[in-house]
Amino acid sequence: MGTKLRQSNIELLRIISMLMILMVHFTGATFPLPPKATLTHFCDINSIAKILMESFSIIGVNCFVLISGYFGIKPSVKGVVNFILWCAFYSVVIYAIYTIAKPTQYNILDLIESFGIFSHTDLWFIPAYFALYIIAPIINKGIADLKAKPFILLLCGLTFINVYLGWGWSHKINPTGYNVMQLIYIYIIGRFLKVHISRYRNIKHWYIVGYIASFLLIALSTLFCKSTMAFAYNSPFVISASAFFFLIFTSFRFYSPNINFIASSAFAVYLIHKMPPVWNDLKNLLIDNTKNADPFTFTLFWVLFIALIFSSCITIDKFRELVTKPLSHFITKQIKRII
């Protein structure tokens, strides 16, 4: 689908989802959340702020995948090549820079392993999403003709596997949502929302009510389970909040070339900032500059910090396209000649 055909309401959600992912990484993953909240945590302003911020932003990954499910992934040679080059570019270039800049911390072995973007990566989403991308045609075909009732039964079965067994009982099939099983589940939910729910735009006020209720349940769930469980991607409250938040953005439509332009590089924000060398430096930078700050100064620095990372990554990715687009076109052309 060309950029001019993209729905800017959904592209705006893509941008917000990536900002949420940044918030998650620079809140719960950088500063410790209460291992299990108590009523005393809800009387402490810092604990309240952390819990509310994490409750709001934890839906970012699910929303990102819901977008894929909503529009449906249509794998192609060009798409596979683009994805691989996109991921490999940042992995290899970042490790090359750090190998030169910090030879005592990074060496040639790290640089060699950086080529293994699916097998030697700390970014779990890359191989998981690639697996989803490859099997998407099978999923699309299997659910293409499902009516509402059998579709709901399918979702009930997947909810039993991912939420009851996975989240509720820490089953290995999906204990926290950081795997391809979660992405398949959310992708299918996205397809269901597209086919059977999103046309009901006249009830958008109920989407807002549903989201607010789910958001509060995420926060309150920290009272009866540890934070890793409360903020798991396969938590029923996180999934519910993700779905309602997503539906809010399907309830209106507009077009903005600027938003579409920014959104097309949103995934690069994840690829750049979460590469281990960059991530370690950014995390330490945030901690070092805020450890003695008052709440107002901390909040101001944190907001500016995330905004700078997001805008910098988007800018970098626009230059990356100048390198990888011609290469992608050449590789795609050669592969098509062979097959």
Side-chain angles (χ1 to χ4, degrees):
M1 182 181 293
T3 303
K4 65 179 181 180
L5 299 177
R6 290 182 179 272
Q7 298 177 23
S8 296
N9 50 312
I10 303 300
E11 295 306 298
L12 176 60
L13 175 61
R14 194 188 304 276
I15 293 171
I16 293 173
S17 296
M18 188 51 63
L19 286 169
M20 286 177 166
I21 291 170
L22 283 175
M23 289 176 65
V24 167
H25 291 163
F26 290 109
T27 304
T30 302
F31 302 97
L33 291 165
K36 186 175 181 180
T38 63
L39 289 176
T40 57
H41 287 116
F42 284 87
C43 296
D44 174 63
I45 186 64
N46 290 329
S47 294
I48 292 175
K50 288 179 182 178
I51 290 171
L52 292 180
M53 287 166 62
E54 194 80 355
S55 298
F56 169 74
S57 60
I58 196 63
I59 67 174
V61 170
N62 284 348
C63 285
F64 212 84
V65 180
L66 282 172
I67 294 172
S68 295
Y70 184 80
F71 290 112
I73 295 174
K74 301 173 181 63
S76 64
V77 173
K78 180 180 178 182
V80 170
V81 172
N82 283 341
F83 184 78
I84 294 174
L85 285 179
W86 203 358
C87 298
F89 177 87
Y90 287 116
S91 180
V92 174
V93 169
I94 286 172
Y95 272 96
I97 292 172
Y98 273 81
T99 300
I100 297 171
K102 298 184 177 182
T104 58
Q105 297 182 39
Y106 302 94
N107 53 51
I108 192 65
L109 181 59
D110 296 317
L111 179 58
I112 292 173
E113 289 186 348
S114 70
F115 285 87
I117 55 171
F118 298 130
S119 58
H120 295 75
T121 179
D122 291 328
L123 282 67
W124 70 272
F125 190 84
I126 292 178
Y129 190 82
F130 185 71
L132 173 64
Y133 189 90
I134 295 300
I135 65 175
I138 300 173
I139 299 174
N140 296 341
K141 186 72 173 178
I143 63 179
D145 299 321
L146 284 182
K147 302 298 182 183
K149 285 187 178 180
F151 211 143
I152 291 173
L153 288 176
L154 171 63
L155 288 177
C156 287
L158 290 174
T159 300
F160 176 82
I161 293 169
N162 290 279
V163 177
Y164 176 74
L165 293 180
W167 180 79
W169 294 98
S170 299
H171 195 283
K172 290 182 179 179
I173 194 168
N174 187 10
T176 57
Y178 290 82
N179 53 51
V180 68
M181 189 66 192
Q182 173 74 8
L183 301 196
I184 292 171
Y185 177 42
I186 299 300
Y187 179 87
I188 293 176
I189 291 176
R191 294 304 301 151
F192 179 79
L193 297 180
K194 169 70 172 180
V195 176
H196 297 291
I197 303 296
S198 62
R199 63 179 179 270
Y200 299 112
R201 294 182 189 143
N202 59 328
I203 60 169
K204 60 184 177 182
H205 56 284
W206 287 113
Y207 299 157
I208 297 173
V209 171
Y211 167 71
I212 293 174
S214 300
F215 163 77
L216 293 175
L217 286 171
I218 296 173
L220 291 174
S221 68
T222 60
L223 287 170
F224 56 83
C225 59
K226 56 186 180 181
S227 59
T228 53
M229 189 174 182
F231 300 122
Y233 293 145
N234 59 341
S235 157
F237 311 125
V238 172
I239 293 170
S240 175
S242 304
F244 281 117
F245 194 76
F246 180 84
L247 285 169
I248 291 172
F249 281 82
T250 66
S251 65
F252 62 90
R253 286 189 180 181
F254 70 97
Y255 175 75
S256 168
N258 293 328
I259 286 177
N260 292 3
F261 178 76
I262 295 171
S264 65
S265 289
F267 187 55
V269 178
Y270 170 73
L271 293 176
I272 296 173
H273 92 273
K274 206 60 174 68
M275 284 294 169
V278 179
W279 166 245
N280 291 333
D281 281 353
L282 289 176
K283 183 172 62 173
N284 292 334
L285 180 64
L286 180 60
I287 293 173
D288 291 343
N289 283 275
T290 58
K291 56 186 176 183
N292 296 318
D294 59 84
F296 175 79
T297 303
F298 172 85
T299 302
L300 180 61
F301 186 89
W302 181 83
V303 170
L304 293 175
F305 187 74
I306 288 179
L308 181 60
I309 291 172
F310 183 86
S311 57
S312 298
C313 290
I314 296 296
T315 303
I316 291 170
D317 194 59
K318 296 309 177 184
F319 287 101
R320 184 273 312 168
E321 290 180 352
L322 299 177
V323 176
T324 61
K325 275 193 173 182
L327 182 59
S328 174
H329 178 75
F330 173 77
I331 295 175
T332 301
K333 189 175 180 179
Q334 299 310 310
I335 292 175
K336 286 184 176 180
R337 280 182 178 178
I338 296 172
I339 60 176

